[in-house]
Amino acid sequence: MNFVCSRCGKKAAVTTRRAQCECGGLWKFDFQPPRFDPDLIDRHEWSLFRYRAFLPLEEPEEMEETKEPEEPGAASNGRRATSGEPAPCGANSAWRAVSLGEGMTPVVRLDEDVLLKMDYFMPTLSFKDRGAAVLIAHCRAIGVDSVVQDSSGNAGNSIAAYCARAGIKCEIFVPEGTSPAKTAMIRSHGAEVTIVPGSRDHCADVCRAKVAQEGIYYASHVYNPFFYEGTKTYIYEVWEQLGRIPAHLFVPLGNGTLFLGMVKALEELLAADIIAKMPKIIAVQSEHCDPIARAYEDGAPEPAHVTPLPTLAEGIAIGSPMRGKEILEYIYKYNMKVITAPEERILEARAALAGCGIYCEHTSAATYAAYLALREKQGRIYDSLIPICGAGLKSDH
Ligand SMILES: Cc1ncc(COP(=O)(O)O)c(C=O)c1O
Ligand SMILES: [Zn+2]
C-alpha cells in the first residue's frame, strides 16, 4: 500500500516515517478497499474492526515485505490482497493488540426529526478513537516505538490511550486553555503533555517543528491518512444500525477528520449501490473560527484567513485547516452546506441536551446549536443525524 502526495503525486510506501512529502504536500491514501459488501462485515467482532475488510490493515509480517515503489507512479493500486473474504482474526494482529472495544456506538432518537450518534460512548469518550485505533494499529504493525501529536485534547486522549495499549512512547502537545480533564487523562496514560502558550494553530506549529528536527513519528489526526480510514467506520455503523443513511447528516468541521472519513465511506456506499445518492451533509463551524464557512460563502477554493476568537467549541477552533482545500472540493462536489454555531447559544443547547439525559462536550452542543438555529431559519429538517462526539465531563471549564 502507498501514500500519494496531494501536491506532486509522488508515492511512498505506507511504511514511511515521513509525515509529509518532500515537497511539503500532505499524504493521501492510494487505497481502494473492496466493494462494500455487508457479507464482509465480521459480525462476531464487537469493535470497529468488524469492518476491517474495508480498512488498510496489515499484519506485521506483511509490512516487513512491503517495498518502497521504485519510482513515482510505479506502485500497485493499493488493493488489498484479502478482498472477497473478511481478513483473518490472527491473535497476533496489530489491530487486536490495540483494540479497546471502540465503535458500535448507539444511535438514539432525540425527537421526531433528530437521531444522535453517541460517539461519546467510546473508550476515551470521543469519536477520535475511531481514527486513533486504526492509526496506532498501523504504528504497531510497522514497529514505531515513539510518537508525537498535537491536539485540542480529544485526539491527544485517544492517541495516548492507544499508545499505552500498544506499548508506544507518546508526547502530546496541547494549546494553553485545554480542559484540565483532558490533560489529566493524557498524563494518566503515561504520555508526556506539553502545554503550548497561544493558539491551537501555534501548538501544531511547535509540534511539527519537533517532528522536523527530531524525525519522531507524527501520529497526527490531520496529517496521517490512516486516521481518516478509521473515521469511515462512523458511516459503516450508521448504515448497519439503521439499514439506511439518514437524509441530513450534520458534522462538526474543524480539521475535518470526521468529515473526510464520512465522505470517503459514503462514496464507498455509493460506488457499491448500497445507497442511491449522497445525503445532504451540513458541516458546522464555530462562529468564532470559520475559515471554511467563509470560503464556502464566497465560493472560494481555499479556506479564508481568519483570526480565531475564543470559543466554547474548542474541538473545532481550527483557524488553518491543513486539508481545507480537499474539504472544500468535497463541499462543492456534493453540494453540501456549511453553517456556523451561534456562540451565545452553545450553553443553551448543551443544557437542552443535558435535560434529555445527554451530557456532551461544548463542541458537540455547538453542532446541536447550529441545527436548532438552522431549523428556526428554514423550518423542519427531517431525518437528521447529529454526532455527539465528546462527553461532557471532559469539557467542564
Ligand atoms: C468533541 C469534538 N467534536 C468535533 C471535533 C472536530 O473534529 P474534526 O477535526 O474532525 O473536524 C473535535 C476535534 O477535536 C472534537 O474534539
Ligand atoms: Zn509531493
Side-chain angles (χ1 to χ4, degrees):
M1 284 190 296
N2 293 304
F3 290 152
V4 57
C5 172
S6 55
R7 193 183 289 170
C8 74
K10 190 172 169 192
K11 292 189 179 186
V14 296
T15 45
T16 183
R17 307 295 166 104
R18 289 203 310 263
Q20 63 197 115
C21 178
E22 280 155 4
C23 80
L26 293 187
W27 298 128
K28 284 170 128 179
F29 234 123
D30 182 20
F31 167 67
Q32 181 65 51
R35 185 181 165 89
F36 191 88
D37 176 350
D39 287 345
L40 292 181
I41 300 171
D42 177 359
R43 293 177 201 271
H44 297 292
E45 172 55 39
W46 292 94
S47 75
L48 56 74
F49 291 103
R50 71 202 266 110
Y51 306 108
R52 66 188 177 281
F54 316 109
L55 301 176
L57 299 170
E58 299 278 19
E59 297 301 311
E61 322 71 81
E62 288 178 49
M63 298 304 298
E64 275 157 30
E65 286 162 17
T66 309
K67 300 263 191 305
E68 292 267 345
E70 312 248 300
E71 56 189 282
S76 76
N77 65 5
R79 183 171 280 278
R80 299 188 66 213
T82 50
S83 64
E85 282 285 321
C89 316
N92 297 327
S93 302
W95 67 266
R96 209 173 263 292
V98 305
S99 178
L100 293 165
E102 56 291 312
M104 309 301 292
T105 60
V107 176
V108 172
R109 178 161 292 284
L110 182 69
D111 59 34
E112 215 183 332
D113 291 328
V114 177
L115 293 165
L116 303 175
K117 174 80 169 148
M118 304 300 288
D119 261 23
Y120 73 38
F121 285 39
M122 284 281 191
T124 79
L125 314 180
S126 92
F127 80 98
K128 300 278 186 188
D129 291 350
R130 296 186 184 279
V134 173
L135 172 54
I136 300 303
H138 168 68
C139 288
R140 176 149 168 141
I142 66 170
V144 168
D145 56 12
S146 177
V147 307
V148 292
Q149 193 241 27
D150 51 87
S151 159
S152 66
N154 277 333
N157 281 163
S158 293
I159 295 291
Y162 284 89
C163 280
R165 174 94 161 125
I168 295 173
K169 192 167 165 278
C170 175
E171 180 181 1
I172 306 288
F173 291 72
V174 296
E176 66 179 344
T178 299
S179 315
K182 292 182 181 173
T183 48
M185 194 165 155
I186 295 169
R187 285 198 186 95
S188 76
H189 294 305
E192 192 179 329
V193 177
T194 301
I195 299 175
V196 183
S199 69
R200 168 72 183 90
D201 295 303
H202 175 63
C203 169
D205 291 341
V206 172
C207 181
R208 285 167 201 156
K210 176 153 183 161
V211 171
Q213 277 156 21
E214 299 180 25
I216 304 176
Y217 194 87
Y218 191 28
S220 167
H221 53 298
V222 185
Y223 275 46
N224 202 304
F226 277 90
F227 203 94
Y228 303 94
E229 292 295 318
T231 53
K232 289 192 316 191
T233 58
Y234 176 89
I235 288 293
Y236 299 156
E237 282 176 22
V238 171
W239 179 81
E240 196 186 356
Q241 289 164 324
L242 301 179
R244 65 186 182 88
I245 295 292
H248 300 98
L249 301 184
F250 285 76
V251 56
L253 182 56
N255 271 310
T257 57
L258 183 57
F259 174 95
L260 288 167
M262 271 174 62
V263 176
K264 279 173 196 291
L266 288 165
E267 286 187 327
E268 290 172 18
L269 298 187
L270 272 175
D273 294 323
I274 299 269
I275 56 173
K277 65 178 175 95
M278 204 45 132
K280 186 77 178 176
I281 295 182
I282 301 149
V284 178
Q285 292 224 282
S286 159
E287 194 180 42
H288 286 183
C289 185
D290 56 354
I292 307 274
R294 286 198 202 185
Y296 164 79
E297 291 296 327
D298 297 341
E302 305 266 2
H305 292 285
V306 297
T307 307
L309 297 173
T311 170
L312 286 170
E314 63 185 5
I316 49 172
I318 309 295
S320 310
M322 295 293 295
R323 294 192 185 262
K325 190 164 181 283
E326 187 181 343
I327 290 167
L328 281 159
E329 279 166 11
Y330 282 127
I331 286 169
Y332 299 131
K333 179 172 180 189
Y334 293 115
N335 191 25
M336 300 176 191
K337 201 174 175 69
V338 188
I339 59 175
T340 55
E343 188 70 25
E344 80 286 358
R345 295 188 60 182
I346 294 176
L347 291 178
E348 177 192 320
R350 189 168 185 249
L353 288 170
C356 299
I358 293 149
Y359 191 52
C360 69
E361 269 200 38
H362 294 82
T363 306
S364 297
T367 310
Y368 186 55
Y371 160 82
L372 292 173
L374 186 64
R375 191 183 67 181
E376 275 167 27
K377 205 163 120 193
Q378 70 169 49
R380 274 180 68 179
I381 313 162
Y382 72 97
D383 199 20
S384 291
L385 180 74
I386 299 178
I388 301 296
C389 290
L393 287 176
K394 288 172 88 180
S395 71
D396 269 334
H397 42 185

